């Protein structure tokens, strides 16, 4: 059977929600993505900027085997969460391993995935750039919360804390093992287990820049062939 249809279109009454608790009681889905999501905690102080790399608008999404009437979502790159809104309340969807959330208007697909990088295991959302049983390419988007500067006199105001976008991190995945995208032909030859001369010929003829996303995608697609 298809997964149980998600919230919007089924939940037409606000009476399904508890206003006295921090947990939303809704019709559940088998994988738990929208099941009892946590309410987003509001910041207790002013923060400049935005934690949303795609803007703060909630966008239409598509999720395989879900109803087309799924709740609109947005990605919070500071909290590494998918958010949705019911009434005036904001909630985080639960992370479901392997679930792919596509934003057609943004031409982006995020995958909820457990991954290891830099000796740390993390559970979060990565942008899926190349999906392949051989080598897949992911991008991690991240916002950092920076501390505002304090005034050293009585004439100027303290600066607020602010969000600042961290440099995107590109990861290669094979058999659930992740490594940072290579910086040059030598590293790429080792990671992709491909003849260095063959790879070098492709890189030169296609003018591949290892720091540009379109070229990263082109390189991984070539290796997968």
């Amino acid at each position: 059977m298809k997964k149980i249809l998600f919230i919007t279109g089924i939940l037409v009454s606000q009476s399904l929600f508890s206003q006295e608790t921090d947990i939303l009681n809704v019709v559940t889905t088998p994988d738990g993505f929208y099941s009892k999501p946590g309410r987003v905690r509001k910041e207790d102080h002013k923060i400049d900027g935005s934690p949303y790399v795609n803007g703060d608008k909630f966008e239409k999404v598509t999720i395989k085997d879900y109803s087309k009437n799924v709740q609109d979502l947005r990605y919070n790159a500071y909290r590494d969460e998918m958010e949705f809104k019911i009434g005036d309340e904001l909630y985080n969807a639960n992370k479901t391993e392997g679930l792919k959330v596509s934003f057609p208007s943004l031409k982006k697909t995020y995958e909820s995935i457990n991954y290891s990088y830099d000796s740390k295991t993390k559970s979060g959302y990565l942008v899926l750039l190349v999906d392949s049983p051989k080598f897949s390419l992911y991008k991690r988007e991240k916002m950092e919360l920076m501390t505002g500067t304090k005034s050293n006199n009585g004439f100027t105001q303290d600066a607020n804390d602010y969000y600042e976008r961290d440099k995107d991190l590109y990861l290669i995945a094979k058999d659930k093992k992740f490594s940072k995208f290579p910086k040059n032909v030598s590293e790429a030859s080792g990671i992709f287990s491909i003849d260095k001369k063959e790879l070098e010929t492709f890189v030169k003829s296609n003018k591949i820049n290892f720091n540009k996303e379109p070229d990263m995608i082109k390189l991984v697609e070539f290796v997968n062939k």
Side-chain angles (χ1 to χ4, degrees):
M1 291 180 64
K2 292 285 185 178
K3 295 180 180 179
I4 298 175
L5 298 181
F6 166 63
I7 305 175
T8 308
I10 298 179
L11 305 182
V12 295
S13 171
Q14 292 291 352
S15 63
L16 290 174
F17 301 94
S18 170
Q19 301 298 324
E20 298 177 355
T21 68
D22 288 346
I23 298 297
L24 182 63
N25 298 311
V26 300
V27 174
T28 61
T29 50
D31 60 15
F33 182 62
Y34 294 112
S35 172
K36 294 185 178 180
R39 185 173 294 170
V40 175
R41 177 179 59 82
K42 295 180 180 179
E43 297 296 342
D44 57 4
H45 64 288
K46 170 73 174 175
I47 300 176
D48 291 336
S50 170
Y52 307 106
V53 296
N54 304 311
D56 60 5
K57 178 183 176 183
F58 292 91
E59 302 282 353
K60 298 291 183 182
V61 300
T62 59
I63 304 174
K64 185 180 178 181
D65 293 334
Y66 277 72
S67 163
K68 293 181 179 180
N69 296 320
V70 294
Q71 191 74 22
D72 294 353
L73 296 171
R74 69 182 179 191
Y75 177 59
N76 186 320
Y78 171 63
R79 296 186 181 279
D80 196 11
E81 299 282 1
M82 286 292 173
E83 299 177 346
F84 65 96
K85 200 171 187 179
I86 299 294
D88 294 327
E89 296 295 338
L90 189 63
Y91 298 90
N92 290 324
N94 295 307
K95 292 185 174 74
T96 301
E97 171 69 11
L99 191 73
K100 296 173 183 176
V101 182
S102 296
F103 291 76
S105 63
L106 302 175
K107 296 182 180 179
K108 268 185 176 183
T109 296
Y110 289 83
E111 183 173 346
S112 175
I113 191 168
N114 295 323
Y115 62 101
S116 295
Y117 172 73
D118 198 20
S119 301
K120 296 180 181 178
T121 299
K122 302 179 182 179
S123 175
Y125 292 95
L126 298 176
V127 180
L128 180 59
L129 298 175
V130 177
D131 189 6
S132 171
K134 292 184 178 180
F135 293 96
S136 293
L137 176 62
Y138 292 92
K139 175 173 66 174
R140 185 204 66 186
E141 299 172 329
K142 186 178 181 180
M143 285 287 189
E144 297 279 7
L145 181 60
M146 312 302 289
T147 302
T149 56
K150 302 297 181 182
S151 173
N152 56 8
N153 58 62
F155 301 99
T156 58
Q157 293 183 332
D158 293 342
N160 296 324
D161 291 349
Y162 60 97
Y163 292 109
E164 181 173 272
R165 184 165 181 172
D166 196 2
K167 184 178 180 181
D168 291 336
L169 173 65
Y170 292 88
L171 297 170
I172 296 293
K174 179 177 175 58
D175 299 328
K176 295 186 177 181
K177 294 181 180 179
F178 289 77
S179 58
K180 190 174 181 180
F181 191 85
K183 294 182 289 187
N184 50 50
V185 171
S186 294
E187 285 190 11
S189 176
I191 290 175
F192 296 122
S193 300
I194 189 172
D195 181 74
K196 185 177 179 180
K197 289 185 177 180
E198 180 184 357
L199 186 60
E200 194 168 48
T201 299
F202 174 80
V203 168
K204 286 184 177 179
S205 61
N206 290 273
K207 298 180 180 178
I208 297 296
N209 186 324
F210 284 79
N211 295 312
K212 291 186 177 181
E213 185 176 301
D215 288 355
M216 294 180 187
I217 294 172
K218 187 182 294 185
L219 180 60
V220 176
E221 289 177 340
F222 166 74
V223 171
N224 283 332
K225 292 178 182 178

